[in-house]
Structure formats: structure tokens, C-alpha cells
Amino acid sequence: MAGIVWCSEYSINEKSLDKQHQELFKIVDEIDDFVKKVQNNFEKEDRDNFKSIIFKLFNYIKFHFKNEEEFMEKINFPFLEEHRRVHKELTNKTKNLLLVNDIDISSVIEQLSILTKSWILNHVCTEDILINNYLTRLIYTGESHYTLEQYINLKKMIANQDIEKEYQFFYICNCDLKIHRVPQSIHEELLKEKRYFRCPSCKEVLCLKEKITNKEETFEYFKKRFGNVKINKNF
């Protein structure tokens, strides 16, 4: 599994905040390495390292959230108050970990992983993207800023699991004989949050057709629907 790395897909097109997000990704990657190192063998000296790394995260998110909120005020961002509430919650969650004295390592490591990946990285990669959408006047939040492929890669990084092994759902667009395989967890997320993706080729919204479990079932579907046609197997 590759490390946690910021890339241009997560840019909000504001140079100073992008740099801060990159630094935040580095800190989270450092924490991820620490978690992997100690989760099965927590030594006495790891207690001080634990406090140090959480303190580093705590100070940086306070600094970053303050700058981000000032920028959102400057551009009259309509979701500023929602962002402030999330920032406060994340700051408090980090502070609570700092206040832990008697470390139950299994519980704390789990809390740390949830905080850094499911909360902080997810916030940067999904909610902060709305800032860029607002700046480009694409404020409707139903449409994903990412392509399906980019979003799958993002979820794999945050969840630290191969979601492509999940049951797959069959989505189509306006491209001839093209399918988009959507993992079950993302499919359920789209339905719950009423969000959607567009095909990067035809620019049309991806529409649900049916569930599939493997390519053989897909070929059978095309055969029944289109007869003996040449099918591109590189989907």
C-alpha cells in the first residue's frame, strides 16, 4: 500500500492553502507510519512519540483551519459556518487524544486512524473541494469534483482497503459499450447523499443499470443486448 500522498486532484486552486494541505498530508502519513509500527508492539518510549506526533497535528490543524476560515470569509464562501463547526469538532477530537494519560493502545490507535483518515483527510479531500467549486462557480454539491476512478483511489487511500474487491454495480454513460464498475460502498454513498459522477469522455452523468460480479457476466449482458458485436475488454 502506497503512502498517503497529496496530489493535484485535491487542489482547491489557492496556493497557500494547497501548500498547507500538502503539509497536513505529510503529517498524516507520518502518523500512519507510526500507527503501523506500534499497533502490535507498543513500547514504553512510544508513549512520548505518540504525544509528540499528536501535538504536532494539533498545532498544525489549528494554524491551517484559522487560515482557511479567513480565506473563506474573504471570498464570502456560503458554507463557512458548516466548515467552522467541522473544524472545531476535528480540533476537539485531536485535543482529546492529547489529554489521554493511561493509554489503552488498541483503542487509541483506532481513534487515531479514524481521526486522521476518516475525518481529517476526508474533510480535506471532499469538503474543502467545495471551495474550488465555489471559486469556479460550480457550487452545486451533488456532482462530484472527482472522476469515478479518482474517487475510488481516494477511498482506497483513506479506508486503507481494496474496495474494488467489493460487490460491483454496473453504471453506464453515453459512450458506446462502456461500463463503469462502482464498488458497493461508493454506490450506497451515492444513493444516500444523492451525488453523482460524470464520465470524463462523454461528460454525461453515470446511470445505474444492474449489479455484476465479474467480466464474464458483463460480456453475457452485452451479448444478450447487442448480439455478436466486438466488445472492448479493457474496461
Side-chain angles (χ1 to χ4, degrees), residues 76-100:
N76 295 316
F77 185 63
F79 304 128
L80 172 59
E81 291 308 314
E82 289 89 337
H83 254 65
R84 276 196 173 124
R85 283 195 291 271
V86 173
H87 287 172
K88 184 176 181 180
E89 182 177 4
L90 293 177
T91 303
N92 287 338
K93 285 178 181 292
T94 308
K95 183 178 180 180
N96 288 339
L97 283 179
L98 270 176
L99 297 176
V100 172

Side-chain angles (χ1 to χ4, degrees), residues 6 16 21 47 50 54 77 88 96 119 122 129 134 142 145 147 184 199 219:
W6 187 91
S16 63
H21 284 158
R47 182 184 299 269
F50 171 83
I54 298 301
F77 185 63
K88 184 176 181 180
N96 288 339
W119 288 89
N122 190 60
I129 289 299
Y134 176 68
H145 173 76
T147 66
Q184 183 170 349
C199 171
F219 296 149

Side-chain angles (χ1 to χ4, degrees), residues 67-189:
N67 288 339
E68 191 171 83
E69 289 170 14
E70 288 175 351
F71 178 74
M72 288 188 286
E73 285 182 342
K74 182 179 178 181
I75 65 172
N76 295 316
F77 185 63
F79 304 128
L80 172 59
E81 291 308 314
E82 289 89 337
H83 254 65
R84 276 196 173 124
R85 283 195 291 271
V86 173
H87 287 172
K88 184 176 181 180
E89 182 177 4
L90 293 177
T91 303
N92 287 338
K93 285 178 181 292
T94 308
K95 183 178 180 180
N96 288 339
L97 283 179
L98 270 176
L99 297 176
V100 172
N101 290 318
D102 297 323
I103 296 181
D104 174 357
I105 186 58
S106 59
S107 173
V108 171
I109 288 298
E110 181 180 3
Q111 292 177 51
L112 186 56
S113 293
I114 292 173
L115 172 67
T116 54
K117 292 183 179 180
S118 298
W119 288 89
I120 293 178
L121 284 192
N122 190 60
H123 173 68
V124 170
C125 296
T126 59
E127 296 178 32
D128 281 356
I129 289 299
L130 295 178
I131 298 173
N132 180 54
N133 289 350
Y134 176 68
L135 291 172
T136 57
R137 299 300 183 263
L138 299 175
I139 197 59
Y140 180 60
T141 59
E143 181 175 350
S144 174
H145 173 76
Y146 303 107
T147 66
L148 175 61
E149 181 180 2
Q150 290 170 342
Y151 196 68
I152 288 175
N153 289 334
L154 169 64
K155 285 297 183 181
K156 285 167 64 177
M157 178 185 69
I158 292 177
N160 200 26
Q161 65 185 41
D162 190 357
I163 61 175
E164 290 175 310
K165 292 181 179 178
E166 294 178 2
Y167 207 80
Q168 304 289 300
F169 284 74
F170 182 2
Y171 280 65
I172 63 172
C173 57
N174 205 35
C175 298
D176 289 340
L177 302 180
K178 183 174 182 179
I179 67 166
H180 305 264
R181 296 165 64 91
V182 179
Q184 183 170 349
S185 59
I186 293 181
H187 163 75
E188 292 173 351
E189 183 181 321

Side-chain angles (χ1 to χ4, degrees), residues 50-64:
F50 171 83
K51 292 288 187 179
S52 176
I53 202 170
I54 298 301
F55 191 69
K56 181 178 181 179
L57 175 66
F58 178 68
N59 280 336
Y60 199 79
I61 61 173
K62 283 200 306 179
F63 161 75
H64 168 62

